[in-house]
Amino acid sequence: MEKATITIALAGNPNSGKTTIFNNITGTRQKVGNWPGVTVEKKEGRIHKFGYDLKIIDLPGIYSLTPFSIEEIVARDYILEECPDVVIDIIDASNLERSLYLATQMRELGRSKVLFALNMSDVARARGFKIDEDKLSELLDVPVHATVGNKNQGVDVLLQKAIEMVESGKKPPKGRKVNYSKDIEAAIGTLEALLTPHFQADSPYDSRWASIKLLENDSVVLKRIQSVLPDDALSELMSKTDSLRQTLRDRYDEDPEIILTDERYGFIAGIMKEVFTTSSRKRIDSSRNIDLVLTNRFVGFPIFLFFIWAMFQLTFTLGAYPMDWIESGVAAAGAVLNNALPESLLKDLLVNGILAGVGSVVVFLPNILILFFCIAIFEDTGYMSRCAFLMDKIMHLIGLHGKSFIPMLMGFGCNVPAIMAARTLESEKDRLLTILITPFMSCSAKLPVYIVLAGTFFGPRAGTVIFIVYLLGIVTAILTGRLFRTTLLRGADAPFVMELPPYRVPMVKSLLIHMWDRSKMFLKKMGGIILVGSIIIWTLSAFPRTTQYSHDYPAAIAHVESVFTQHIDGADPSARPTLEAEKADRLQDIQRAMRAEQTTNSFMGRIGKAVAPVFAPLGIDWRGGVSLLAGFVAKEIVVSTLGVLHAVDEEGSEALRQALVDSGMTPLAAFSMMIFVLLYIPCIATVATIRKETNSMRWTFFSIGYTTVVAWLMAFIVYNGGRLIGLA
Ligand code: GDP
Ligand code: MG
């Protein structure tokens, strides 16, 4: 396998020690000239060593692979065009953060073999810096070796490592690159899909890199692409690039190249945090100052909990106002339909089925908008990644990295995108584990259930109770993770870099877009699955039509009518309104009792009776049981089913609350039901996503079974434990 010549290029920042190392290797056997066409010095040396002819190139000193200066163009073109067998990036260890900018970009090229020399390691040591080489190597998946150029230390080993890399013939590893924020990743993905079919396997860079450069408006890369792409593909690519750049500019109010640079620095900040420690005082800058507090081991965590708590408080209290308006709107619509339509089955379907079902869910839209808005703020300010960072220690307890916490946090919004977000994890086991525990993160669809139950039974403490439920979900996820990691999915977690982007003041527009992107799914669900679900549930509860009632309700109604008519006629005019109101109340009670009896007798009631024994030990009655079954379609349906079963019609959640209290539900039982809702089987859409992402029916069924068993046990423990210690 003798390969006669190996070409090694030395790249790095100016003054990182390239020429010194170059001289060490080549001695006097060098050729000095200029790079073609420009007055940039080119040094090339040849030497026979370790059984190879080594050709060493001393590239001009550069800070990045962005073609800002002639040096950068020369160095980059050399790497892209001459395809050296291996590039050694000489990193100035005494200036690690700045050097990593170039190093990260080298890694981003994707196809070139790169090796890092941590030069100036003597200076770094003298300044009190400690750099964890192994960690750095692991995080970027690149060999790293410390050198002291001017003392010729470590240079031979460096060369040997470079030769080993070439000999091994392995492709440079994928992954361990900057993960940009989702808008940008989406844009990259779009361009990549257009580019990939036209890419040669031996191209020195991959289509992802080319896409990134296009987004950065890199004219040099653009020219290259122009020369290889057919015309029609090119024009599509160009117009797509323009529109994507415009979208990003609108969304961030910055040029895409600046956003990308910022995010690369975020990636580097993440690396620095893991590999770099210093005994001297840190450089001051505002992001880092904020991070000193927000990612501090002691205060960071309480602050994080506070933010999450505040988010739920806000969702609950602020959301209550628009919720009232929508509720009145739905009630008004119900009243209009009620008066306009003649008594019929169709009217019943419209008012008690569709309007009640969809209406009882649409009232939660404001809460969900607020929740998604808060999550967008966390993401856009850069706080989300700090959360992941903070959670890193805790996540390690379950054998996962902090990065898994981002899908989990997103699970608060909706499990479907959350489970898809687990794709960013590199290890298959990490991904599977994250997918299995994410459903315990309480999604926004469960919020309506909590709002009704906690709002009814816990009054002003509702926000706190809901917070506890969410917390319980997190704890269950962690315990589950720990359990699975030590049994089903044994193995170490993969190393990775947590991006720590600079803090940004988010743009309102981009917050709104992000909020809307996710809320759209909620609305789509409303029009689709919830509408269909409501109709099915109404049908099940409206049939069979009862013929035999235990009471003669029409007679009771007639009785009330006649008694009150007499009373009202004989009463003082000032007392009449009170009497009228009382009459209406009584009539409503009778009608409700009648409808309740009808429902009990219906198919729904029969199913409920059949499953009642399963839910009885949890303090949940048959109506609750049926609602929970219906919740498999979509969690929001739990509330609307409760509404149908308690025979509350268009009056919305106030009436449902009263009905729940009347049904004899206790606060403890309500809490037990909330826990069950929190933990049990994910909704259809989530199950489908789990199936798609794990590509395994076995894991899908496992997830369904496990969550439901855990839900039952937890609710059982809470309910019966609570009763033992005397909580009713
Ligand atoms: P270049 O611009 O990357 O080619 O850097 P040079 O090779 O010209 O080096 C810049 C200066 O750093 C020179 O004075 C070298 O002697 C010095 N130097 C190079 N490597 C090291 C090192 O590892 N430790 C220390 N202390 N100085 C070094
Ligand atoms: Mg030099």
Side-chain angles (χ1 to χ4, degrees):
M1 67 147 296
E2 186 77 354
K3 186 188 177 207
T5 312
I6 291 181
T7 312
I8 300 176
L10 305 180
N13 292 172
N15 286 317
S16 59
K18 283 181 309 303
T19 305
T20 310
I21 290 181
F22 175 79
N23 290 340
N24 285 336
I25 299 173
T26 58
T28 51
R29 313 188 44 174
Q30 31 178 284
K31 218 171 69 192
V32 182
N34 271 352
W35 291 89
V38 291
T39 53
V40 177
E41 191 183 65
K42 177 180 186 181
K43 282 187 169 174
E44 205 180 297
R46 279 173 186 275
I47 185 157
H48 192 82
K49 217 169 178 177
F50 306 119
Y52 289 97
D53 275 328
L54 303 178
K55 181 176 160 194
I56 319 280
I57 311 289
D58 185 14
L59 292 176
I62 52 175
Y63 289 107
S64 78
L65 287 183
T66 327
F68 285 144
S69 64
I70 194 76
E71 284 82 6
E72 282 167 338
I73 294 176
V74 166
R76 195 176 81 175
D77 279 354
Y78 180 80
I79 296 171
L80 295 186
E81 262 154 35
E82 310 290 322
C83 301
D85 295 302
V86 53
V87 179
I88 300 181
D89 182 12
I90 316 272
I91 287 179
D92 177 353
S94 66
N95 238 320
L96 184 62
E97 189 160 15
R98 196 180 62 187
S99 309
L100 281 176
Y101 191 68
L102 178 65
T104 313
Q105 289 191 313
M106 292 279 191
R107 198 60 194 77
E108 232 181 352
L109 275 177
R111 296 248 173 103
S112 311
K113 291 190 171 173
V114 186
L115 168 75
F116 292 168
L118 268 186
N119 197 37
M120 306 271 182
S121 46
D122 56 332
V123 184
R125 211 172 309 121
R127 293 198 188 153
F129 302 159
K130 269 212 348 241
I131 300 169
D132 186 340
E133 281 168 48
D134 296 338
K135 188 90 194 193
L136 181 63
S137 160
E138 196 176 53
L139 288 177
L140 284 166
D141 212 347
V142 163
V144 173
H145 188 67
T147 54
V148 182
N150 60 344
K151 299 206 181 94
N152 201 7
Q153 286 172 8
V155 176
D156 270 350
V157 181
L158 186 69
L159 267 186
Q160 272 166 326
K161 286 199 171 193
I163 293 168
E164 264 168 41
M165 269 186 104
V166 178
E167 280 176 340
S168 79
K170 269 196 307 213
K171 288 223 174 81
K174 282 243 161 229
R176 311 286 161 71
K177 284 175 249 172
V178 186
N179 269 307
Y180 297 97
S181 51
K182 66 176 183 313
D183 295 328
I184 294 170
E185 282 293 342
I188 295 172
T190 311
L191 295 182
E192 224 184 321
L194 292 176
L195 275 174
T196 309
H198 307 284
F199 249 70
Q200 252 79 53
D202 60 351
S203 159
Y205 51 91
D206 60 16
S207 54
R208 177 181 166 89
W209 187 79
S211 307
I212 294 172
K213 291 293 133 184
L214 285 178
L215 283 179
E216 288 184 324
N217 204 18
D218 186 316
S219 52
V220 181
V221 171
L222 183 61
K223 270 206 207 86
R224 279 169 187 284
I225 288 169
Q226 273 166 344
S227 65
V228 296
L229 234 56
D231 282 347
D232 51 336
L234 187 66
S235 63
E236 188 189 357
L237 183 71
M238 299 302 308
S239 67
K240 201 78 212 165
T241 305
D242 281 345
S243 74
L244 287 171
R245 275 177 56 81
Q246 192 52 47
T247 312
L248 290 176
R249 206 176 292 125
D250 283 351
R251 220 167 260 196
Y252 291 87
D253 209 14
E254 288 281 17
D255 281 335
E257 42 273 44
I258 297 186
I259 311 164
L260 284 153
T261 304
D262 269 4
E263 300 209 347
R264 263 182 219 122
Y265 274 114
F267 179 81
I268 291 164
I271 301 180
M272 289 298 283
K273 194 129 182 148
E274 299 234 14
V275 305
F276 185 83
T277 39
T278 171
S279 48
S280 59
R281 280 198 60 78
K282 273 201 177 139
R283 219 178 74 211
I284 311 293
D285 85 40
S286 60
S287 268
R288 212 162 302 171
N289 276 343
I290 301 175
D291 271 346
L292 283 183
V293 180
L294 289 187
T295 61
N296 178 284
R297 241 178 319 161
F298 304 105
V299 295
F301 208 68
I303 294 176
F304 166 63
L305 284 181
F306 171 78
F307 279 144
I308 301 281
W309 177 82
M311 171 169 90
F312 292 124
Q313 279 297 322
L314 200 69
T315 304
F316 194 69
T317 46
L318 199 67
Y321 299 98
M323 187 170 164
D324 271 352
W325 308 330
I326 297 180
E327 215 159 80
S328 328
V330 172
V336 168
L337 281 180
N338 229 340
N339 294 331
L341 298 174
E343 210 57 52
S344 71
L345 207 55
L346 178 69
K347 170 178 162 175
D348 197 32
L349 169 66
L350 282 178
V351 176
N352 295 323
I354 295 177
L355 192 68
V358 176
S360 60
V361 175
V362 81
V363 297
F364 298 103
L365 182 62
N367 301 98
I368 283 158
L369 286 176
I370 296 173
L371 185 71
F372 280 135
F373 190 74
C374 291
I375 290 182
I377 292 182
F378 285 167
E379 280 192 316
D380 290 9
T381 50
Y383 186 61
M384 192 74 125
S385 22
R386 272 72 186 185
C387 297
F389 204 89
L390 264 180
M391 290 303 288
D392 200 42
K393 281 253 155 53
I394 295 182
M395 297 300 286
H396 273 301
L397 290 180
I398 50 175
L400 280 175
H401 220 300
K403 205 170 200 173
S404 289
F405 192 65
I406 290 182
M408 289 172 71
L409 251 189
M410 284 177 59
F412 284 151
C414 175
N415 278 317
V416 172
I419 286 171
M420 296 200 292
R423 281 183 197 170
T424 54
L425 300 170
E426 282 162 28
S427 136
E428 206 44 47
K429 278 183 182 170
D430 286 6
R431 241 187 80 191
L432 193 51
L433 190 52
T434 308
I435 289 174
L436 288 176
I437 63 180
T438 298
F440 290 128
M441 308 310 286
S442 190
C443 74
S444 61
K446 296 173 185 173
L447 194 59
V449 189
Y450 306 149
I451 292 176
V452 166
L453 292 175
T456 307
F457 293 97
F458 296 95
R461 285 193 303 273
T464 311
V465 168
I466 294 177
F467 173 66
I468 292 173
V469 171
Y470 273 81
L471 213 55
L472 201 74
I474 301 177
V475 171
T476 310
I478 290 175
L479 293 179
T480 298
R482 178 120 197 95
L483 177 71
F484 289 175
R485 189 51 114 185
T486 48
T487 53
L488 298 172
L489 296 166
R490 253 179 266 195
D493 46 333
F496 80 98
V497 179
M498 187 103 56
E499 288 84 7
L500 285 182
Y503 286 102
R504 262 200 288 256
V505 178
M507 293 223 320
V508 176
K509 192 167 158 196
S510 113
L511 287 178
L512 291 178
I513 292 174
H514 288 154
M515 173 185 84
W516 182 242
D517 274 352
R518 300 211 169 114
S519 307
K520 236 178 11 204
M521 286 178 36
F522 179 81
L523 285 177
K524 269 198 200 137
K525 223 161 54 169
M526 196 91 60
I529 229 164
I530 292 179
L531 179 65
V532 174
S534 299
I535 294 174
I536 292 174
I537 284 157
W538 172 85
T539 311
L540 286 177
S541 64
F543 295 95
R545 309 299 283 174
T546 309
T547 43
Q548 291 266 291
Y549 285 104
S550 62
H551 286 67
D552 189 353
Y553 291 109
I557 291 172
H559 178 70
V560 171
E561 293 273 8
S562 76
V563 169
F564 272 90
T565 314
Q566 277 175 20
H567 266 306
I568 292 168
D569 285 347
D572 192 72
S574 65
R576 276 183 196 167
T578 338
L579 284 170
E580 290 280 6
E582 200 183 328
K583 176 182 155 191
D585 263 4
R586 294 256 186 109
L587 285 177
Q588 205 184 17
D589 280 351
I590 296 170
Q591 270 156 0
R592 187 175 290 161
M594 183 172 156
R595 224 172 316 127
E597 196 179 325
Q598 202 275 319
T599 314
T600 313
N601 217 341
S602 66
F603 292 123
M604 190 65 119
R606 291 175 204 181
I607 297 173
K609 290 280 153 54
V611 298
V614 177
F615 291 103
L618 315 179
I620 300 172
D621 70 2
W622 68 269
R623 296 184 191 87
V626 175
S627 312
L628 290 170
L629 288 186
F632 174 53
V633 175
K635 295 299 146 91
E636 296 94 333
I637 289 183
V638 173
V639 174
S640 50
T641 310
L642 276 176
V644 171
L645 293 181
H646 283 283
V648 281
D649 42 0
E650 71 283 357
E651 287 146 80
S653 77
E654 205 37 63
L656 176 56
R657 286 175 184 185
Q658 192 52 49
L660 283 173
V661 174
D662 292 346
S663 77
M665 190 178 232
T666 61
L668 183 62
F671 191 58
S672 154
M673 183 159 172
M674 284 160 76
I675 289 174
F676 195 85
V677 169
L678 165 76
L679 303 174
Y680 85 127
I681 186 172
C683 68
I684 288 183
T686 305
V687 169
T689 312
I690 293 178
R691 161 82 186 79
K692 216 168 103 217
E693 297 290 309
T694 59
N695 200 18
S696 146
M697 272 327 258
R698 228 181 83 230
W699 283 114
T700 310
F701 279 117
F702 178 78
S703 171
I704 293 174
Y706 178 78
T707 48
T708 307
V709 168
V710 168
W712 196 90
L713 287 176
M714 288 286 274
F716 182 83
I717 292 168
V718 165
Y719 183 65
N720 293 286
R723 291 217 309 182
L724 274 184
I725 59 168
L727 302 170

